[in-house]
């Protein structure tokens, strides 16, 4: 049995060694051959030096250049570098796998041929105080939406997972990652998996530690791009991949309609305030549940930041892709750091 592990990477000097070390510490079936490919987007922060040093110590680690520096190219370059193997595992450079991650993914796929993709739960890890609060919000159902794989409490089928494992035959059946998608390329690929008859399995008993972005600006840009590129994916397939994606843009439109409330009859004015009242109640409840009164304002601010960023990006995507028939904006191809 052969497994290729693909790590897309750019400027992750602080995390890449821990990521690689955790992969080689994973339990594996007897006789299994493991090869790790770090597909680097020409890092200039010393990341490549770390990878090259580790590669000199371990022949099962390879460095692959990603001249285009974008994630979908990294995925495909890594898959092609590994050739035809039994399983392909994708791991983010800030993802630290649990020791049972690879073994349990293999078991799940082997035991059920309907499973074309498997992955585990995310344990968000903070690297500074603001990152700690961002991690808490991203672990919350109110922050990420009901049914999001980040908030699942038991193993089961879902629509996507982070750090997924695929049997190689999936790529032979549906192709590789769409290199036009700078964001949401995993959502697109996993939607294609389900459309082709495969299932995506979330395993609650395995985990990956994820070092959350440490800046508000980075989170705002990240979720804005998620919303923007989600429309591109929807347009590509001619269908909405999930219903929950509609709530943030509808919420933004609802807030934009507030100036027109003045012209409503009194009973409709009162009724129109109900959604924002429910949102504020939910905001207060979930913030207190996460942090109590400590850091209440800083944490509460992050919920609408994520929701409004995603919703605004989604609406811009509708404008660009559907109404104006434009190509993706170059600005939205810039990675958030």
């Amino acid at each position: 049995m052969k497994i290729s592990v693909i790590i897309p990477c750019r400027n992750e000097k602080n995390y890449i060694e821990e990521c690689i070390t955790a992969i080689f510490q994973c339990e594996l079936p007897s006789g299994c051959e493991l090869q790790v490919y770090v597909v680097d987007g020409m890092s200039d922060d010393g990341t490549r030096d770390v990878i090259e040093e580790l590669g000199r110590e371990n022949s099962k680690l390879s460095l692959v250049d990603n001249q285009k520096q974008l994630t979908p190219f990294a995925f495909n370059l890594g898959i092609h570098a590994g050739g035809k193997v039994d399983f392909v595992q994708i791991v983010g450079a800030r993802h630290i796998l649990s020791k049972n991650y690879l073994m349990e993914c293999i078991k799940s796929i082997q035991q059920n041929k309907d499973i074309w993709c498997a992955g585990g739960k995310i344990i968000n890890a903070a690297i500074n105080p603001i990152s700690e609060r961002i991690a808490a919000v991203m672990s919350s159902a109110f922050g990420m939406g009901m049914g999001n794989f980040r908030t699942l409490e038991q193993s089961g089928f879902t629509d996507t997972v982070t750090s997924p494992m695929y049997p190689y035959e999936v790529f032979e059946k549906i192709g590789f990652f769409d290199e036009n998608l700078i964001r949401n390329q995993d959502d697109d690929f996993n939607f294609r998996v389900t459309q082709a008859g495969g299932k995506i399995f979330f395993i609650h008993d395995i985990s990956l530690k994820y070092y959350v972005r440490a800046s508000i600006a980075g989170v705002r840009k990240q979720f804005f791009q998620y919303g923007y590129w989600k429309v591109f994916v929807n347009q590509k397939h001619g269908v909405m991949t999930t219903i929950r994606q509609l709530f943030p843009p509808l919420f933004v439109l609802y807030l934009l309609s507030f100036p027109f409330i003045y012209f409503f009859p009194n009973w409709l004015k009162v009724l129109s305030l109900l959604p924002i009242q429910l949102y504020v109640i939910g905001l207060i409840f979930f913030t207190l549940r996460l942090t109590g009164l400590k850091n209440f304002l800083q944490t509460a601010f992050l919920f609408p930041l994520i929701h409004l960023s995603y919703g605004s990006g989604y609406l811009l995507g509708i404008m660009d892709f559907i109404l104006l028939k434009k190509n993706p904006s170059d600005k939205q191809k810039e990675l958030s750091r």
Side-chain angles (χ1 to χ4, degrees):
M1 179 187 299
K2 294 183 179 181
I3 304 174
S4 288
V5 179
I6 316 303
I7 307 174
C9 176
R10 175 168 166 76
N11 289 343
E12 298 289 4
K13 179 182 177 181
N14 294 334
Y15 311 102
I16 191 62
E17 182 172 359
E18 185 179 1
C19 172
I20 293 170
T21 300
I23 292 168
F24 283 113
Q25 289 177 346
C26 280
E27 302 163 350
L28 292 171
S30 177
C32 181
E33 296 181 25
L34 175 70
Q35 188 73 32
V36 177
Y37 299 92
V38 182
V39 188
D40 182 70
M42 315 314 294
S43 295
D44 54 15
D45 69 339
T47 297
R48 295 175 67 86
D49 295 334
V50 174
I51 299 167
E52 288 169 352
E53 178 63 29
L54 293 172
R56 283 190 283 271
E57 300 170 0
N58 189 341
S59 62
K60 297 183 182 299
L61 174 65
S62 301
L63 175 63
V64 179
D65 289 343
N66 177 14
Q67 297 286 349
K68 295 190 177 180
Q69 302 183 354
L70 297 172
T71 305
F73 294 98
F75 288 165
N76 291 339
L77 283 167
I79 295 167
H80 293 313
K84 186 171 181 178
V85 294
D86 295 288
F87 297 97
V88 173
Q89 173 72 57
I90 295 175
V91 180
R94 294 190 179 206
H95 294 168
I96 314 302
L97 301 187
S98 60
K99 287 188 176 182
N100 63 342
Y101 200 99
L102 299 179
M103 179 76 84
E104 293 303 318
C105 283
I106 292 170
K107 285 181 180 178
S108 295
I109 295 171
Q110 288 182 328
Q111 290 171 1
N112 185 343
K113 295 302 181 183
D114 290 335
I115 296 176
W116 292 12
C117 171
K121 65 181 177 182
I122 297 177
I123 299 175
N124 291 317
I127 57 179
N128 64 15
I130 186 61
S131 177
E132 181 178 359
R133 293 189 277 279
I134 293 169
V137 169
M138 290 177 64
S139 301
S140 163
F142 185 71
M144 304 309 297
M146 297 296 294
N148 187 286
F149 73 96
R150 294 173 183 268
T151 62
L152 295 178
E153 295 295 333
Q154 60 184 7
S155 299
F157 296 109
T158 184
D159 54 10
T160 193
V161 288
T162 293
S163 281
M165 176 182 283
Y166 303 96
Y168 188 85
E169 62 188 21
V170 171
F171 302 103
E172 295 177 319
K173 291 176 180 178
I174 68 173
F176 297 89
F177 288 88
D178 187 340
E179 294 177 351
N180 292 313
L181 290 167
I182 307 309
R183 286 281 190 193
N184 300 72
Q185 61 281 137
D186 51 347
D187 286 348
D188 169 72
F189 189 84
N190 287 336
F191 181 75
R192 287 155 54 198
V193 164
T194 58
Q195 288 295 99
K199 293 184 178 180
I200 299 165
F201 192 61
F202 169 80
I203 307 171
H204 188 264
D205 296 330
I206 64 176
S207 64
L208 58 98
K209 179 170 67 174
Y210 167 56
Y211 287 108
V212 177
R213 284 176 172 78
S215 75
I216 289 176
V219 170
R220 183 204 64 77
K221 186 174 183 179
Q222 176 185 6
F223 280 89
F224 188 95
Q225 290 181 340
Y226 281 160
Y228 183 83
W229 287 98
K230 176 65 81 172
V231 180
F232 192 90
V233 173
N234 293 345
Q235 185 185 47
K236 172 183 174 180
H237 295 290
V239 64
M240 285 184 298
T241 52
T242 61
I243 296 299
R244 64 175 177 268
Q245 68 187 265
L246 292 178
F247 288 96
L250 288 175
F251 185 56
V252 172
L253 289 175
Y254 165 72
L255 295 178
L256 292 174
S257 72
F258 264 36
F260 302 99
I261 292 177
Y262 174 81
F263 302 102
F264 292 176
N266 289 335
W267 68 269
L268 192 53
K269 288 179 183 177
V270 174
L271 188 62
S272 66
L273 293 175
L274 182 60
I276 192 65
Q277 291 172 339
L278 292 174
Y279 184 85
V280 171
I281 291 170
L283 180 67
I284 294 171
F285 173 79
F286 281 97
T287 303
L288 289 174
R289 188 177 177 183
L290 286 175
T291 66
L293 293 176
K294 183 181 180 181
N295 301 316
F296 177 87
L297 291 178
Q298 298 96 321
T299 304
F301 165 76
L302 291 169
F303 284 110
L305 174 71
I306 287 174
H307 297 154
L308 296 180
S309 296
Y310 186 100
S312 299
Y314 197 99
L315 293 175
L316 180 61
I318 290 176
M319 178 71 71
D320 280 1
F321 303 133
I322 297 177
L323 299 180
L324 300 179
K325 309 295 183 183
K326 293 171 59 177
N327 292 322
S329 164
D330 289 340
K331 184 176 181 180
Q332 303 311 324
K333 296 179 181 179
E334 298 172 1
L335 295 179
S336 57
R337 293 290 175 189

